[in-house]
Every structure is written in structure tokens, then in C-alpha cells.
Amino acid sequence: MNQQTAVTETAAAAKKTLPDAQTVTEVRHYTDRLFYFRTERPQSLRFRSGEFVMIGLPGDDGKPIMRAYSIASPSWDDGLDFYSIKVQDGPLTSRLQHIQPGDEIILRPKPVGTLVLDALLPGKRLWFLATGTGIAPFASLMRDPETYEQYDEVIMMHTCREVAELEFGRQLIESLPEDPLIGEFVGDKLKYYPATTREEFKTMGRVTDNLASGKVFADLGLGVDRMDPATDRAMVCGSLDFNKDVMAILEGWGLREGANSEPAEYVVEKAFVG
């Protein structure tokens, strides 16, 4: 056994000691603050589109640093997509942003979450309301045939500070109608409403402002200026302040917050802050 062989075998043995390890298969960086990565999917993992899992890496002391991440791929996919921010001094993302294909991460195969179709009462129009990486669970739901089987219309409102931060969502949404697996379900049901708050763009303004003012309804030609609790359903994912502000608007229109145990007109993911 030469020295190189010994080193290689030692490294392989060390990798096998990582609990709940999954191999990274793809990484894409969109901006200096946003990146995407894909991993293998554990054979035991069953999840509903829109749910999240805990993922992480070992810290300096060997103890896992874990955070909640929405699965951005649909429940039928044989891999797992994730969309993440980069926080330079963040306990996890300061490390996670440097992963490469072939690396391993910790992935606990116990999915949970409220951004699932089961937590909503039947309706006709479904709204996805997100800022930043909050689009991740909706990237999963927008690729699930059941979303289009249950709703006549699906609207993705996504607001970021700058145009480049919209790229992940734009690429995904523009590819859906031609997707051989999901395209026939999507058809013309999906409407995309991207906006920015800092950089000049064709549509600007916060999700809350564009909702409350009625601008999004007018721009999309919906013929109304607010959601109707009899027909509209909504899912919300963003910062804690964003979630609270959107909830106030939705409840002002008569929509009630739902949960897995008691479906209603809208749901909010509370596992994430920022």
C-alpha cells in the first residue's frame, strides 16, 4: 500500500462517518448572495411538494450545524434541489456556499412544513407570495402536477432587491411550459409576476404594496382588486416581517390561516426567518 492509497482510503472512511450523508451533484451560483445546489435523494425520503428538511455540515467542533431548507424540487424528482442565501459570517452558509459536486452534506430525511396543498381548502386561484429564497418551496409546487389539477390559475409573485436575484425563478418558470414531464399540466395556468425594490425593472414594488394597491390584479388583468376568500388561496414564504405584513392584508380580505390539521384559505411557513 503506497502513501497515496492510504490517504485516499482514510479520507473515504472519514466521509462515511458523516451522519445522514448525501452527495452534492450540482452547484450554481447566481449572485454573491444566492446559490443553488442539488443532492442525491435518500431512498427512504418521502415528502409532499412544499415541505422542508434539515440540512447541515459539521462545525469546527465536529457537531453538526443544521438549518431548515425548503426542498425546491417536486416530490416526484429523483434528486433534491435547494436554493440558499450566502451569509459570509453565518454559522452554516459561510461553509455551505463553498460546497462542490462530490462533496457530502448532512440531510435529515424527516420532511415537515405547512406550505402544502393539503393545508388549503379547495379553491380556483392559488397565489405563491415570496421574497428572496422564499421562492424555493414554490419551485417545488410549481413542478407538481397536482397543483394544476387542483387550481384553474396559479400566480407566482416574487420580489427581490435586484434583477439578478430573480434569475433562479425566471429560468425555472420560463422552462415549465416546454418541460416534457410537467408542461402539459402547466399550460397557460401559471402567471409569473416578478418585481424588484431597488434596481430599475419593468415591475417594481414590494409584494405587500402591489397587493394592497391592487396593482398586481390590474397588471394581470384579473378584473378584481383583491382576493376573494371563496375562490382565492395563498401561500406565503419570506422574512418574519414580510410574513406578518402579508398575513394582515390577507386577513383584511377575509382569508383565514390554515394548517395541516385544519385547512383554510392561506398558509405561512414559519420555520424560516430571513
Side-chain angles (χ1 to χ4, degrees):
M1 179 185 293
N2 59 36
Q3 185 176 6
Q4 180 61 43
T5 301
V7 170
T8 301
E9 291 183 354
T10 300
K15 287 183 73 174
K16 290 179 182 177
T17 64
L18 193 63
D20 294 317
Q22 295 301 322
T23 302
V24 176
T25 58
E26 184 181 354
V27 179
R28 293 199 304 265
H29 294 268
Y30 287 92
T31 72
D32 59 359
R33 295 185 65 253
L34 298 168
F35 72 108
Y36 153 95
F37 60 98
R38 183 174 174 84
T39 72
E40 294 178 336
R41 176 174 177 170
Q43 289 189 344
S44 62
L45 178 60
R46 298 290 181 270
F47 69 95
R48 294 175 296 174
S49 295
E51 290 187 314
F52 66 87
V53 290
M54 300 298 293
I55 66 174
L57 291 170
D60 292 334
D61 59 0
K63 296 180 180 179
I65 302 172
M66 307 296 294
R67 295 291 185 272
Y69 270 76
S70 288
I71 302 172
S73 45
S75 58
W76 52 261
D77 202 338
D78 57 6
L80 298 175
D81 294 341
F82 297 96
Y83 187 45
S84 177
I85 58 172
K86 304 176 188 179
V87 180
Q88 299 311 318
D89 57 352
L92 177 59
T93 59
S94 61
R95 301 165 183 263
L96 193 64
Q97 64 183 290
H98 299 297
I99 57 173
Q100 300 290 331
D103 291 345
E104 289 185 335
I105 65 167
I106 303 167
L107 193 153
R108 301 272 164 79
K110 297 178 180 179
V112 291
T114 56
L115 298 181
V116 292
L117 296 175
D118 293 343
L120 293 174
L121 293 171
K124 294 183 179 180
R125 181 187 291 133
L126 177 60
W127 295 78
F128 295 142
L129 310 173
T131 57
T133 55
I135 194 175
F138 306 136
S140 173
L141 285 156
M142 284 188 288
R143 287 184 281 177
D144 192 322
E146 190 176 351
T147 299
Y148 304 98
E149 290 172 347
Q150 291 192 21
Y151 292 91
D152 298 333
E153 197 169 24
V154 178
I155 298 172
M156 178 72 246
M157 286 188 75
H158 186 211
T159 296
C160 296
R161 297 180 307 173
E162 301 169 355
V163 176
E165 297 173 342
L166 295 167
E167 191 64 13
F168 170 78
R170 185 194 67 78
Q171 289 181 3
L172 169 66
I173 292 164
E174 289 186 357
S175 71
L176 289 182
E178 305 303 322
D179 188 292
L181 293 175
I182 191 70
E184 65 177 304
F185 295 97
V186 177
D188 59 358
K189 288 188 172 185
L190 179 61
K191 290 180 170 61
Y192 179 38
Y193 195 82
T196 58
T197 56
R198 293 189 184 178
E199 184 179 358
E200 193 70 27
F201 188 57
K202 61 182 180 181
T203 304
M204 298 189 68
R206 300 177 184 277
V207 170
T208 47
D209 292 339
N210 288 332
L211 281 172
S213 68
K215 186 177 189 306
V216 61
F217 301 92
D219 288 350
L220 295 177
L222 301 182
V224 294
D225 63 359
R226 62 179 57 201
M227 295 185 199
D228 182 347
T231 56
D232 288 277
R233 303 291 175 260
M235 294 185 173
V236 187
C237 191
S239 68
L240 185 60
D241 287 341
F242 170 78
N243 290 351
K244 288 181 177 179
D245 291 344
V246 174
M247 290 169 68
I249 293 172
L250 299 182
E251 292 185 3
W253 289 337
L255 281 72
R256 300 165 300 154
E257 183 179 1
N260 282 283
S261 59
E262 191 174 352
E265 289 83 32
Y266 80 88
V267 286
V268 178
E269 188 51 77
K270 298 176 180 176
F272 315 104
V273 178

